Amino acid sequence: MADNPAPTTPATSDGAARWQARYDAARAKGQVREADFTTLSQMEVEPVYGPADGSEVPERIGWPGEYPFTRGLYPTGYRGRTWTIRQFAGFGNAVQTNERYKMILERGGGGLSVAFDMPTLMGRDSDDPMSLGEVGHCGVAIDSAKDMEVLFEGLPLEDITTSMTISGPAVPVFCMYLVAAERQGVDLGVLNGTLQTDIFKEYIAQKEWLFAPEPHLRLIGDLMEYCAENIPAYKPLSVSGYHIREAGSTAAQELAFTLADGFGYVELGLSRGLDIETFAPGLSFFFDSHLDFFEEIAKFRAARRIWARWLREVYGAKTDKAQWLRFHTQTAGVSLTAQQPYNNVVRTAVEALAAVLGGTNSLHTNALDETLALPSEQAAEIALRTQQVIMEETGVVNVADPLGGSYYVEALTDKIEAEAEAIFDKIRAMGELGKPLNAEGGIDHAVGPMTSGILRGIEDGWFMSEIAEAAFQYQVSLEKGDKKVVGVNCHTASVTHELEILRVSHEVEREQVATLKTRKTDRDEDAVRAAVRHMVEVARTDDNMVPAMLDAVRAEATLGEICDALRDEWGIYREPARF
């Protein structure tokens, strides 16, 4: 369809006419950017393409901005707005990471994405004996609200969307973010961003949990309620397939396990009595973009279609926004190689392009040296520029879903969707094993049927074994030479020299521990103990825990103190040994 409202072909299908009306309405509202939407040779291109003879496209494919959203959420595609460049960053202490954030934003980044160190991810303070040697090494160390203040100093949180990749202690870290915003004088109701909070994928793949699943689900439910009521633009859950894929799953497994987890969180919201039209738009997703270019594009398109259909047909969502699957993408860290590391720039560019052609809403591109260490400033800039070259120079933003209608891409989309649906059936069946029938001949589930299946799959180690088998099969094909990795099992001769990599000094840990000690000395210890005690008392009731946790954070209770109090109350979880 042309940018001009008049049709460009003698025959226009009903679907094309619907799309044109939506596009024209968006343009009338100023939702189409003023930009040059021509090719490098100044050839005019349409905002979207369909059958040249004006015939209808199949309903499962549809048009951009139309259910089931296979071709994207918006009729304008990237002509409306481009994806958000959201570079994942964090290392050392809050001061160092704050400097990196300012560099990213000054050079064109569109949002922040916080990487935390391992002690923070596990709910431990920097002075905890279990933190020794790990402080600041895989992300930024955050012990208290004061660290969060420093992390965002000079960065107006009311204007910047902020993503935080953390699940086990996500809720207390989120409370620290809110307190940092309060201390900037920000109205919390206007904050926008994403908290990962996806505990299911921790048991399935990443293994960074604090408690058994049920207490975590209680906290997540409280967070969903709190955000829906108080911070409507903030997304309290980013359901993550990235870590599932990095653990070795196939593309179909990544898609199916991730969406199943998402359905579990929908069931959690419904079990809390929340309105699906209110809380479902607060769910977002986080996918890996791997190297099989067309498979990844098909995966992203299938994800939108499956989610929309299930939200409408299974869970009863009626509005488009409640049926939308919005997702962030990160290029595949596991595809990077230590051998010939400059090849990683090419890999990342291909993966990023696949994410864009699949319609990602935001994107992180990995740095060439991330297989060796945290990104150096130069490598981080190259990763950022990779996105900017794709956005500004390739023309991919000119046309919505440019591969829509491709025989190959549509067939792959259908195949991945079918494989995912078969996996959903297995997960739901696991949730019914051993459960008695109720008076109506059905099965009662504490939260919902998909949630029951996920919990049973975690308990039985099913997810882990499925991923392990997929990873094993890939490794076999790699070692046999059936799958090629340039610089590893083919084309191994090279003139590449060793990289200069970023090294985090152990002095960072010593300084962080000393700073934490000073902060503990300077605070009102009685107020801290009282606030933490009150938080635990609330945990024993059905009341929402977020307000009490906020009070503890305002009193400068540390992350470790909050998490340890809840570990004492709820116990810890150890994964059963399996062989």
Side-chain angles (χ1 to χ4, degrees), residues 171-484:
V171 180
V173 166
F174 174 71
C175 289
M176 292 176 184
Y177 163 75
L178 294 187
V179 171
E182 282 180 346
R183 293 173 181 175
Q184 282 190 5
V186 174
D187 174 6
L188 300 188
V190 306
L191 291 174
N192 196 348
T194 305
L195 189 67
Q196 189 163 96
T197 330
D198 177 11
I199 205 62
F200 285 142
K201 64 92 178 172
E202 298 296 345
Y203 300 103
I204 291 171
Q206 199 174 21
K207 312 302 181 183
E208 292 169 359
W209 59 73
L210 274 62
F211 325 111
E214 289 77 8
H216 276 298
L217 290 179
R218 184 287 176 66
L219 281 171
I220 293 169
D222 286 352
L223 180 68
M224 291 170 68
E225 287 181 356
Y226 187 86
C227 288
E229 183 175 346
N230 299 286
I231 316 175
Y234 197 88
K235 298 165 188 63
L237 267 162
S238 177
V239 191
S240 176
Y242 184 84
H243 306 91
I244 292 169
R245 189 66 178 281
E246 293 285 293
S249 78
T250 66
Q253 287 172 333
E254 176 197 357
L255 178 61
F257 294 172
T258 306
L259 294 189
D261 290 349
F263 299 145
Y265 296 124
V266 170
E267 292 174 352
L268 176 63
L270 293 173
S271 74
R272 289 291 194 102
L274 298 178
D275 178 9
I276 195 167
E277 310 297 340
T278 300
F279 79 80
L283 302 176
S284 65
F285 289 81
F286 173 24
F287 289 113
D288 199 306
S289 188
H290 221 297
L291 266 170
D292 195 310
F293 188 68
F294 293 105
E295 183 176 58
E296 294 304 294
I297 295 166
K299 178 186 73 180
F300 299 132
R301 298 171 84 251
R304 278 192 298 269
R305 185 159 81 201
I306 294 168
W307 184 256
R309 186 177 66 251
W310 274 67
L311 266 287
R312 175 189 275 193
E313 297 179 4
V314 178
Y315 298 114
K318 293 180 171 57
T319 62
D320 284 356
K321 282 190 175 182
Q323 297 166 12
W324 282 351
L325 181 142
R326 284 169 288 200
F327 67 96
H328 171 73
T329 310
Q330 181 171 338
T331 56
V334 74
S335 73
L336 306 180
T337 64
Q339 303 92 326
Q340 300 178 25
Y342 291 103
N343 297 346
N344 294 332
V345 177
V346 182
R347 294 185 177 104
T348 295
V350 170
E351 293 161 355
L353 184 58
V356 169
L357 292 175
T360 192
N361 302 104
S362 64
L363 179 61
H364 165 89
T365 33
N366 289 327
L368 67 95
D369 53 1
E370 283 190 61
T371 191
L372 299 167
L374 292 164
S376 66
E377 187 169 355
Q378 181 182 35
E381 182 180 279
I382 292 170
L384 173 64
R385 295 291 186 243
T386 300
Q387 291 202 48
Q388 291 167 332
V389 168
I390 292 172
M391 184 182 291
E392 306 292 353
E393 299 185 31
T394 63
V396 294
V397 299
N398 292 348
V399 178
D401 189 36
L403 294 180
S406 156
Y407 294 123
Y408 181 38
V409 170
E410 298 299 353
L412 272 178
T413 303
D414 292 346
K415 184 174 178 58
I416 289 177
E417 179 180 22
E419 289 187 21
E421 290 289 348
I423 293 172
F424 298 150
D425 290 342
K426 291 180 182 179
I427 295 172
R428 286 169 67 102
M430 283 192 293
E432 298 180 359
L433 292 174
K435 291 186 180 292
L437 297 179
N438 57 29
E440 289 76 33
I443 293 174
D444 295 322
H445 298 279
V447 176
M450 190 65 80
T451 306
S452 294
I454 293 167
L455 293 174
R456 181 62 180 265
I458 291 168
E459 180 183 344
D460 291 349
W462 181 80
F463 292 104
M464 186 168 59
S465 65
E466 291 291 294
I467 294 171
E469 178 62 23
F472 174 74
Q473 292 299 332
Y474 175 73
Q475 188 64 30
V476 168
S477 66
L478 194 66
E479 292 182 8
K480 289 170 62 179
D482 295 336
K483 297 293 184 187
K484 308 290 187 185

Side-chain angles (χ1 to χ4, degrees), residues 1-2 19 46-50 63-64 71 75 398-401:
M1 293 288 97
W19 170 82
E46 313 284 2
V48 74
Y49 286 83
W63 293 82
R71 303 194 67 186
N398 292 348
V399 178
D401 189 36

